[in-house]
Amino acid sequence: MEVQVLSPEVIQDTESAPTPLGAVPTNRIDSTFGTTCIDLTSSSLDSSILAFSDEWFAPASNLTNPQPPIRRPGYFVPTGAWYDGWETRRHNPEPFDWVIIKLGVASGKVKGIEVDTAFFDGNHAEAVEVHGCFDVQVDADAKVVKKDYTGWRQVLGHRRCGASQRHAWKADDESEVTHVRLCMFPDGGIARFRLYGQVVPVFPTSREQEVELSSALMGGMVLSGSEEHFGSSKSNLLLPGRGVDMGGGWETRRSREQGHVDWVIVRLGARGKVKRIVVDTAFYRGNYPQAMKVDAFDGEEETPNAEDARWKEVVGMQRLGPDQEHEYAGKSLSNVEEAAYTHFKMTIVPDGGVKRFRVFGTRLPRTIQHNTIICVASDPCYLPEEVLISGVQPGIRTSNTTPKYVALITLHSSGSKATFIASSEINAALTRTEERRCDLDGPEGLRKGRACTPSSTMTVVAPKPSAKPKPKSNLPCLLCLHGGGTSAHIFAIQVGRLQRALAKHFRFVFVDGPFVCPPGPGVLPFFEGMGPYRRWINKDGCDEDKVRPLLKKRMAEDGGNFVGVLGFSQGARLALGLLHEKQEQRAEAFNEFGFGVFICGTYPPLGLSSALFPTTPTAQFETQYWDSKHESILRIPTVHVMGDRDPFLHKSRLLSRCSDPASTSVMQFAMGHSLPVAPADTQRVANKVIALHENYRLEIEDDARDMQLLEKGVENAAITAVPLQT
């Protein structure tokens, strides 16, 4: 176990972007998070403690114990009184103690945080903060424990804690995390730490591969149940493994009335076709149920109750035995051949304990509700206003002809709402709902798309594409560099609003990064099946021999008049590096670029031939590199666009400080790690880009005029005086 001391620079960095959170009363913690979230850091999900600053009195591993903390008064161990929690030594010389935890799931969206100081009174933590990061690289665990790791972002701001009580706060930031760091100020003890959230599963690429659709690791959730007793939890039913004793399952109290049954309702992580069902009574020997049955329901937008008449029986009443797995497949299943389901209800007779409930099957595309219109367009800018304003990323259907961008408009009596559809599911969805398809192309299609009402059942035929390829315009070009874990194709969709706003001024040219990688944060499920996903750097940094020829080739193939470079996230890092090369007048530089547009950029900049700025900012960095007089500061005109809800906001700020304040503009909007969504925000960015280009155009004209004067021998427009004759 690695024990380290964090530097003040890292502490200062993580405090730069506080996340607003609301306190949850103690008596409402379970009802607030219990039916919509799971504890992402629970040791039952195989989470792990990667590193900590200290655990002198009690080990950090107690923090993730799913069982409530207990007390053993009068019991002592060599270090002092025994405590069921994490306790550090007194007089911490650092600002706080800390522990780094790897989630037990692939990643999760944080909804809330609980800090329980049970039985710590006089030695409890005075305050806490929680930081998170999203890192799915192979060496992620080794990176996040290093004291100079800069990927942490603030999930929970500074919060005071009291003695021996549960504390919880709601999270507004729902960004995905893979690791969290709990910070305890200044030292002391915490009994339990719970990170409530929703699993973002990683499913197999092939839909034919059988998976455990009900597993908590795949996003399965227990929504409701008749009751739970003896300290057990219904959510235990979906945990991996078979446990170690009777304590890790679901057990109900003894019933005394005739005809009593208990039940539990499970929502699958994905809609699917059932192949087999397993009911496990491991460790329940004298208290297992006499029998059970299983029913199923299909409806992604609904939460059925136990008495709903639409439940279909898939496993009839079956007797159960003690301490064993009961598997039902083939002829033991009914109503599964041509059906797909989203929810399952297990009913036990009359009561007792079950360790695990597992549903295995293959995933299917999501269902499309009867009040949903599917909007299809060859350009994302033609999608209805609900899609453009909501920030929903449309999926894409590719074919041998024109690609189609697809989004859903779900119509309600109170108004319409845009939702997404995974790219890999579009063809099946369109096949099933052709009567509710709305093809939107051109201004007329856009008008009809915005006029969709709850009574709409129209099909608008898109105009036939011209047999002749559309010629390229003579507009100046922007080279567009995507973020890490996406692609040129995906970035073309993401930047669609800005591209539409600048359609009369620029042509956008997209290029794929050279390195294949896993999908980045937020890419799934919107762009599922649109791989390979790419990035601009590998484990050794930015490979000049691969990146430079790739960019040069793409620009040469296009043949356009390139005037600027636009980068998003990791692409913004590379874009700044390209401009810096031009400023340094390097022979291999991209001299075409006169300005840069950086959207949600991260840090540090990427230099193709050398590092431009330190990887980790320090006090020396702030005084040297952020001084506008320093030789390394970027003086070529730029605009930095940031989101106030972006989990990487602190990195965007660091990147912006690599540009001279005299030649850069910083724009911040109410958004996350994305492009501006609101039309007014998009237009503000567009206006800034137009202004940058206009200034660059005037600069080029001035340079050309000076060259003409020089060629005529009138250097600096000086007039030679002729002496007067007397």
Side-chain angles (χ1 to χ4, degrees):
M1 189 73 68
E2 186 170 356
V3 181
Q4 298 170 334
V5 177
L6 297 180
S7 65
E9 294 77 30
V10 175
I11 296 168
Q12 181 181 5
D13 187 27
T14 58
E15 293 176 347
S16 60
T19 303
L21 292 163
V24 178
T26 302
N27 61 350
R28 296 182 183 176
I29 295 176
D30 295 333
S31 60
T32 300
F33 302 115
T35 60
T36 59
C37 304
I38 67 171
D39 179 9
L40 300 171
T41 56
S42 171
S43 59
S44 298
L45 295 176
D46 296 328
S47 65
S48 55
I49 306 294
L50 298 183
F52 51 81
S53 58
D54 181 69
E55 55 173 17
W56 177 260
F57 289 109
S61 58
N62 288 332
L63 288 170
T64 59
N65 186 342
Q67 299 300 320
I70 62 174
R71 186 183 182 192
R72 300 178 68 180
Y75 182 75
F76 287 83
V77 293
T79 55
W82 181 89
Y83 276 90
D84 187 9
W86 170 48
E87 186 180 4
T88 63
R89 71 188 79 199
R90 297 182 184 223
H91 315 306
N92 183 15
E94 300 297 325
F96 57 79
D97 280 315
W98 53 270
V99 58
I100 296 175
I101 306 172
K102 180 181 181 180
L103 272 58
V105 298
S107 67
K109 293 185 176 181
V110 181
K111 298 291 185 178
I113 297 96
E114 178 184 347
V115 173
D116 188 353
T117 58
F119 309 119
F120 286 95
D121 189 351
N123 56 346
H124 61 278
E126 291 187 356
V128 296
E129 286 184 14
V130 180
H131 308 141
C133 70
F134 182 93
D135 196 328
V136 294
Q137 300 303 310
V138 176
D139 59 346
D141 293 352
K143 288 193 300 182
V144 300
V145 301
K146 294 181 178 179
K147 63 181 180 181
D148 59 352
Y149 182 68
T150 60
W152 296 113
R153 62 178 185 270
Q154 199 170 77
V155 175
L156 176 68
H158 202 77
R159 294 294 187 273
R160 302 286 298 179
C161 295
S164 192
Q165 59 185 287
R166 297 175 70 187
H167 314 74
W169 303 269
K170 279 186 177 180
D172 293 329
D173 180 5
E174 298 182 2
S175 300
E176 295 175 45
V177 298
T178 56
H179 304 74
V180 290
R181 181 176 67 185
L182 170 64
C183 302
M184 175 171 61
F185 293 82
D187 48 45
I190 296 173
R192 296 289 186 268
F193 171 71
R194 310 200 189 286
L195 190 76
Y196 296 112
Q198 297 172 350
V199 176
V200 180
V202 176
F203 289 109
T205 304
S206 172
R207 291 189 176 275
E208 300 303 316
Q209 183 173 340
E210 183 180 289
V211 295
E212 187 180 344
L213 298 170
S214 59
S215 171
L217 300 179
M218 294 292 124
M221 284 283 301
V222 174
L223 300 182
S224 58
S226 55
E227 65 127 302
E228 53 191 22
H229 204 62
F230 301 109
S232 65
S233 171
K234 301 181 290 289
S235 298
N236 290 339
L237 290 168
L238 309 184
L239 295 176
R242 302 187 69 199
V244 296
D245 54 36
M246 195 172 63
W250 172 54
E251 184 179 2
T252 64
R253 71 187 74 204
R254 299 188 186 213
S255 60
R256 304 302 184 186
E257 64 271 18
Q258 190 70 26
H260 177 84
V261 298
D262 285 315
W263 53 268
V264 64
I265 294 177
V266 173
R267 185 189 67 206
L268 302 183
R271 181 173 181 263
K273 295 191 68 173
V274 183
K275 299 297 184 182
R276 56 192 178 99
I277 294 175
V278 174
V279 177
D280 190 357
T281 57
F283 302 102
Y284 291 102
R285 300 182 178 92
N287 50 353
Y288 61 92
Q290 291 182 347
M292 71 88 215
K293 61 171 294 194
V294 179
D295 300 287
F297 178 90
D298 186 25
E300 290 180 298
E301 306 298 328
E302 300 181 69
T303 301
N305 59 49
E307 305 302 323
D308 197 303
R310 292 173 292 175
W311 286 106
K312 293 183 180 180
E313 183 179 277
V314 293
V315 178
M317 194 65 70
Q318 302 284 332
R319 294 196 65 84
L320 296 178
D323 194 16
Q324 60 185 284
E325 288 184 303
H326 308 76
E327 182 170 317
Y328 308 97
K331 294 182 179 180
S332 298
L333 302 177
S334 58
N335 297 315
V336 298
E337 288 298 326
E338 301 298 329
Y341 298 107
T342 56
H343 297 73
F344 281 78
K345 179 180 69 171
M346 178 177 65
T347 304
I348 59 174
V349 180
D351 52 48
V354 176
K355 179 55 67 70
R356 299 289 184 263
F357 175 69
R358 310 187 193 280
V359 178
F360 294 87
T362 56
R363 285 189 305 142
L364 289 179
R366 61 176 293 178
T367 56
I368 306 299
Q369 302 301 309
H370 69 281
N371 60 337
T372 299
I373 294 176
I374 299 182
C375 300
V376 188
S378 59
D379 190 311
C381 70
Y382 292 141
L383 291 171
E385 194 70 21
E386 290 91 341
V387 181
L388 301 179
I389 294 178
S390 69
V392 168
Q393 295 288 359
I396 182 168
R397 178 184 65 161
T398 56
S399 63
N400 294 329
T401 56
T402 307
K404 293 290 185 180
Y405 300 91
V406 181
L408 307 182
I409 304 295
T410 304
L411 306 162
H412 305 278
S413 57
S414 58
S416 54
K417 178 183 178 182
T419 57
F420 69 85
I421 181 168
S423 302
S424 58
E425 300 174 356
I426 289 174
N427 287 326
L430 293 179
T431 301
R432 294 195 306 274
T433 56
E434 204 62 42
E435 73 280 2
R436 293 194 303 282
R437 172 174 167 174
C438 185
D439 288 309
L440 310 171
D441 276 307
E444 180 66 13
L446 180 61
R447 183 188 65 78
K448 292 180 179 179
R450 292 181 177 175
C452 289
T453 65
S455 61
S456 297
T457 55
M458 62 183 175
T459 298
V460 182
V461 180
K464 294 182 179 180
S466 172
K468 297 181 180 180
K470 186 178 180 180
K472 294 179 181 178
S473 68
N474 293 322
L475 293 174
C477 299
L478 297 178
L479 183 66
C480 301
L481 308 177
H482 60 76
T486 63
S487 66
H489 202 171
I490 293 174
F491 191 37
I493 301 172
Q494 295 172 322
V495 81
R497 299 178 186 84
L498 183 60
Q499 188 173 3
R500 177 173 174 238
L502 293 170
K504 295 181 179 180
H505 302 272
F506 300 97
R507 188 160 55 81
F508 286 45
V509 179
F510 300 88
V511 56
D512 275 316
F515 305 110
V516 176
C517 66
V523 172
L524 301 180
F526 300 114
F527 301 110
E528 182 183 4
M530 289 186 62
Y533 308 99
R534 298 180 176 274
R535 62 184 302 165
W536 296 103
I537 57 176
N538 58 17
K539 60 184 178 63
D540 299 319
C542 195
D543 190 334
E544 179 181 12
D545 294 335
K546 290 188 177 181
V547 175
R548 191 184 304 281
L550 186 149
L551 298 180
K552 293 281 189 182
K553 179 181 178 182
R554 180 69 181 95
M555 294 169 65
E557 289 175 347
D558 183 86
N561 172 30
F562 286 86
V563 294
V565 57
L566 183 153
F568 176 79
S569 191
Q570 189 181 100
R573 297 172 58 189
L574 176 58
L576 193 147
L578 297 179
L579 294 180
H580 194 272
E581 281 194 342
K582 176 183 178 180
Q583 178 175 290
E584 296 298 304
Q585 298 181 346
R586 294 177 181 166
E588 69 278 13
F590 292 78
N591 293 315
E592 301 92 334
F593 303 141
F595 60 90
V597 181
F598 310 140
I599 303 175
C600 293
T602 51
Y603 185 89
L606 294 176
L608 290 183
S609 54
S610 63
L612 304 180
F613 296 88
T615 301
T616 305
T618 62
Q620 184 182 13
F621 171 85
E622 294 191 26
T623 58
Q624 290 186 0
Y625 288 85
W626 289 355
D627 185 340
S628 61
K629 297 179 180 179
H630 194 275
E631 60 182 8
S632 292
I633 207 77
L634 182 66
R635 296 178 178 83
I636 294 176
T638 58
V639 58
H640 291 258
V641 180
M642 308 176 188
D644 59 8
R645 295 193 297 269
D646 186 354
F648 305 107
L649 176 59
H650 61 294
K651 291 194 173 185
S652 296
R653 288 171 174 166
L654 287 173
L655 190 74
S656 69
R657 297 193 67 177
C658 297
S659 296
D660 189 341
S663 60
T664 192
S665 300
V666 176
M667 308 176 75
Q668 186 166 310
F669 300 104
M671 65 182 193
H673 195 65
S674 65
L675 279 92
V677 172
D681 294 343
T682 300
Q683 192 57 53
R684 284 183 59 194
V685 176
N687 293 341
K688 179 60 67 174
V689 177
I690 293 170
L692 286 174
H693 176 244
E694 180 63 16
N695 291 336
Y696 180 51
R697 185 183 65 80
L698 293 175
E699 180 183 329
I700 292 176
E701 290 181 356
D702 289 343
D703 290 344
R705 189 178 303 110
D706 290 343
M707 288 299 297
Q708 290 177 356
L709 292 174
L710 289 172
E711 290 174 358
K712 293 178 180 179
V714 190
E715 186 174 359
N716 297 325
I719 301 176
T720 303
V722 178
L724 296 176
Q725 294 182 357
T726 58

